[in-house]
Amino acid sequence: GARLGLWHHPLQRVVKDFNPGLRSSRLLGPTALEELPELHEMLLEVQGMWAALRAEFLAVRRHSKSRYVQIQLCLPSGTRCWEPWPPRWREGSWGHYYVAPTSPMDDWGEWYWDGEESKCNWAAYPQCCDLLMRLRKRGLEVTQVAVTEVQAPRTLIPAHRSQQWRLRLVCPLVVPRNSTSILRFPGFGDKVFKAGECWWFDESYEHELLYTGLSFRSALFIDVKHPGRDGRSPIGNWAASWWNYSEPMPITAKLWGSLAAMPSYVPKRRKWTLLGTTHCWLQELTPQQCCVAHPPSTCWDGEQRTFSSCCGTLPRHGAEIKRCAAAKAAQPLFRCERNEYIPSSLESDFAAKAEELTSNRTAMCARLNHDVRSSWLRQIRGCEGFSTQVFSTLCRQGQAPQLIEPLAGLLRDPRTICEGRGYAHFADWLLFAGSAPLSNVGRRIFFDVGGS
């Protein structure tokens, strides 16, 4: 269906007016906000007014001046229904309370606020309109503002996406207890709505929303034009690689307009996409061809693409990793006073906040940040001394302590989610135990470490 042009690939972004130099990501975390400080300031200001904005909304929610428009309605409540355009299954009902502009369409059939003070809904949302005017005066191009509300018992807003320049600040105002409201990015991850916790995401990445609860859920959203359109210098490697997500399907004039208007930014289909911040697999070669046995010379250029930067070590037939020195898990200078397991600081953090740190990619990778991942791998290679900040300790009375990799992240290579899926099968993050504790008696137990 995608090849025939019936719909886009789930990871494809809208290519109309696409600018490959505009850095972005599905969820904009702390590093992104360092590069885009206007968004950070805006988030703090809106979040600081959260209680006032929530009270203002609830005061007018059932009043006609709230400008509520129902966008989706499936009857009976909570059932599925089919809409011919865009062709999607959907469930439940939802709508917008329009703030700026005050109606869903202007004379040109577009929902777009040009910053005119009179086009903001001052009658219902004076504090919000005052905030928006202040943001516009600072140069932030606020283009759409509304409160979106989804209804109980279950609502699904199907997958959709918008133009590349649209960034959205979401501030949940009402999230009922024991409800679940999740924004899902296919092939990437989820973001859970929590009352009072504001966050940014990029509307141009395909996303869908699923809500289940006993009452309505309401969230303020403010759309702005991407500040990075000014061509500022990049900071960090937080941005997703645009060529992973803009692969075109066969294009027809009806769907895409003239090909002459599209520059040759969009590359052809590739078997493998970028792994993390490396530049691998750009020659239609695969990890199987480049990382195993005898790779062809075309895999590597010795600069941006090297074996160590792209492959790590595969568990079978992989090349030996380069070490600075022997890294021994046993600590012979010490003796354990009792049988115990001592989790590292990293493992303790994940144990204390398991759900919070593993259900959200941004939160997990903030704790499992680049410095932590680098130290983890360098210590195994003998390039740094072992640290109990990263590695946990297994003790048997009278024996030398044994260090072991921590139970952190998703119990996989720490780079797997934070740098790219291709690391899922590498082995260079594992610390192999020393032989000292082995004896001639005992049991060997084989188990599937992938089992929860």
Side-chain angles (χ1 to χ4, degrees), residues 103 114 152 177 353 409 420:
S103 61
D114 59 7
R177 290 185 179 182
K353 302 178 180 178

Side-chain angles (χ1 to χ4, degrees), residues 54-200:
R54 180 180 186 274
E56 182 175 75
F57 165 70
L58 292 176
V60 298
R61 177 177 171 268
R62 293 188 177 276
H63 197 282
S64 59
K65 64 183 180 182
S66 67
R67 295 297 184 101
Y68 178 73
V69 175
Q70 190 165 62
I71 297 175
Q72 174 180 306
L73 176 62
C74 293
L75 295 174
S77 180
T79 60
R80 297 175 71 199
C81 58
W82 174 262
E83 288 290 336
W85 190 258
R88 299 282 192 275
W89 282 105
R90 54 204 74 210
E91 295 181 50
S93 63
W94 65 279
H96 283 337
Y97 296 86
Y98 288 92
V99 179
T102 57
S103 61
M105 296 292 182
D106 60 16
D107 295 337
W108 300 96
E110 295 182 354
W111 181 41
Y112 183 87
W113 186 44
D114 59 7
E116 284 291 327
E117 189 170 346
S118 61
K119 295 180 182 178
C120 193
N121 191 351
W122 289 88
Y125 312 105
Q127 294 186 79
C128 188
C129 286
D130 183 67
L131 167 65
L132 299 177
M133 295 308 299
R134 294 200 307 271
L135 295 175
R136 292 282 305 200
K137 288 177 181 178
R138 289 187 207 161
L140 282 161
E141 294 185 72
V142 179
T143 59
Q144 294 104 352
V145 183
V147 176
T148 183
E149 187 170 278
V150 293
Q151 300 297 332
R154 177 183 169 94
T155 291
L156 170 67
I157 302 177
H160 60 285
R161 81 197 94 202
S162 185
Q163 298 100 319
Q164 182 195 18
W165 53 261
R166 182 182 293 178
L167 301 180
R168 174 165 290 183
L169 177 65
V170 178
C171 284
L173 301 178
V174 179
V175 181
R177 290 185 179 182
N178 301 320
S179 68
T180 302
S181 187
I182 302 175
L183 190 68
R184 304 193 296 203
F185 297 89
F188 174 73
D190 304 335
K191 176 64 178 178
V192 178
F193 284 65
K194 297 179 181 179
E197 180 183 299
C198 303
W199 40 275
W200 284 99

Side-chain angles (χ1 to χ4, degrees), residues 8 57 113 121 134 151 171 212 271 278 290 306 409 414 444:
H8 303 308
F57 165 70
W113 186 44
N121 191 351
R134 294 200 307 271
Q151 300 297 332
C171 284
T212 56
K271 295 180 182 179
T278 64
C290 287
T306 64
R444 275 76 169 168

Side-chain angles (χ1 to χ4, degrees), residues 208-255:
E208 63 184 8
L209 184 130
L210 179 63
Y211 173 73
T212 56
L214 299 177
S215 182
F216 64 90
R217 191 276 293 148
S218 306
L220 171 70
F221 69 83
I222 304 175
D223 289 355
V224 301
K225 286 191 175 181
H226 197 310
R229 293 177 302 121
D230 60 8
R232 65 189 62 189
S233 299
I235 297 177
N237 59 2
W238 60 272
S241 302
W242 69 268
W243 54 79
N244 284 4
Y245 313 110
S246 55
E247 177 183 306
M249 301 304 167
I251 298 174
T252 66
K254 180 179 179 181
L255 290 174

Side-chain angles (χ1 to χ4, degrees), residues 324-452:
C324 301
K328 297 182 179 180
Q331 305 294 295
L333 298 180
F334 303 94
R335 284 292 179 268
C336 296
E337 297 180 357
R338 54 186 173 274
N339 295 333
E340 63 178 334
Y341 179 77
I342 307 170
S344 67
S345 298
L346 179 62
E347 180 173 326
S348 295
D349 286 351
F350 275 92
K353 302 178 180 178
E355 184 175 358
E356 176 184 340
L357 293 179
T358 59
S359 61
N360 178 280
R361 179 181 184 271
T362 302
M364 183 180 76
C365 296
R367 180 61 185 92
L368 207 59
N369 58 55
H370 181 270
D371 291 341
V372 172
R373 300 193 301 269
S374 177
S375 292
W376 184 328
L377 297 172
R378 285 179 56 80
Q379 289 172 34
I380 287 180
R381 292 177 174 143
C383 301
E384 291 182 13
F386 281 114
S387 167
T388 54
Q389 296 293 313
V390 176
F391 287 90
S392 299
T393 306
L394 188 63
C395 254
R396 290 197 176 184
Q397 187 174 7
Q399 296 183 2
Q402 288 268 344
L403 297 178
I404 186 171
E405 65 272 359
L407 298 173
L410 299 182
L411 309 186
R412 296 289 187 275
D413 187 317
R415 297 165 294 190
T416 300
I417 298 298
C418 301
E419 296 183 30
R421 294 184 179 182
Y423 292 108
H425 303 294
F426 291 0
D428 57 345
W429 61 283
L430 297 169
L431 178 61
F432 291 95
S435 61
L438 297 180
S439 63
N440 293 327
V441 295
R443 296 183 300 162
R444 275 76 169 168
I445 302 175
F446 291 89
F447 65 96
D448 182 357
V449 74
S452 298

